[in-house]
Amino acid sequence: MDEKKEVLILAIESSCDETAAAVVKNGREVLSNIISSQIDLHTLYGGVVPEIASRKHIEKINQVIEAALDEADTSLEDIDAIGVTYGPGLVGALLVGVAEAKALAYAAKKPLVGVHHIEGHIAANFIEHKELEPPFFSLVVSGGHTHLVRVKDYGKFDIIGRTRDDAAGEAFDKVARAIGLGYPGGPKIDKVSKEGNPDAITFPRAHVADHPYDFSFSGVKSAVLNYINGCQMKGESYCQADIAASFQKAVTDVLVANAMHAVEEYGVDKFAIAGGVASNSALRSAMQKACEEKGVKFYYPSPVYCTDNAAMIGVAAYYEYRNGTRHGWDLNAVPNLKLGER
Ligand code: KG4
Ligand code: ZN
């Protein structure tokens, strides 16, 4: 491939509840990033309803892609490759993006590049940090995943630690529901925590025996539920902000502790966080402080690139494209796709 040529990727993301398309130039420059969120729709049900998500993706996908091409002031003919999230995620939701990407790539005779959703989250860090290059470490914290990852090279990963039960974002969402904050829980807990005392209640910090990099968040979630039940049984009121802040501290303490353990053991000098929970203000400042203390350069994406978007998929697709990854017309949605699998 001619290194000097400009490479334009049209990227599509539909793995959960955002229908998104973006155009990314040379892997680092976002020319457009269109996101149609279904949050309002799913709020009615207190969480994502897969059937509704798929239907809404079908309704929105064409206009989102058109808007992405328009805003980037380009057209399908000028695109070099089409990148699409093909897993992990909700199968029906993923299928909409995959089918659309295949149809466009076939019709316009463009290469098709399937992208792992988590690879996209990690790649979000490349957009605003032009100097960031592998190798580095990453903590991916989203609604469905909590992974501590060694990024060896573009598209090459070792998963060092993972959650044994709930993902970090899932715990935020469940606790938010329990204390009456509703869906989506993460941003609401983040906001209300600013009014609360993080040391008011001591919730458990779970460590998985003999697996220092793994996580478990079901215990802290149960502890919050027990605390609320206890208050209700005694007829006592509880402070929503104190619970939120104390819960948030318990989760971020474990995330930071495991991340710093890896920093020491692996001699890490660059650390990047990614995924929806990476926009959490307490996690960002705790990681920033811990990294500074250890002399590690700390990276995080702007909130719009933390939660699901197609720009991050375009960045990951660019590096996959450059590495020679091409998918055929048999590309399928893989709801439990493993990181690093082809
Ligand atoms: O990455 P993402 O958009 O979707 C998945 O791939 O799962 O992450 C969504 C998750 C949700 O659980 C949401 O509550 C959480 O990220 N989240 C946050 C914040 N913003 C989003 N969690 C904590 N604090 C936030 N500010
Ligand atoms: Zn995501």
Side-chain angles (χ1 to χ4, degrees), residues 13 19 78 86 127 182-183 196 210-211 289 291 302 315 322:
E13 154 65 40
T19 320
D78 293 327
Y86 72 109
I127 298 169
Y183 171 85
D210 302 327
H211 294 275
K289 185 162 171 274
C291 283
S302 290
V315 177
R322 225 181 55 167

Side-chain angles (χ1 to χ4, degrees), residues 123-138:
N125 278 284
F126 297 137
I127 298 169
E128 295 157 297
H129 306 295
K130 309 293 181 207
E131 76 286 9
L132 177 62
E133 293 202 42
F136 59 90
F137 255 67
S138 184

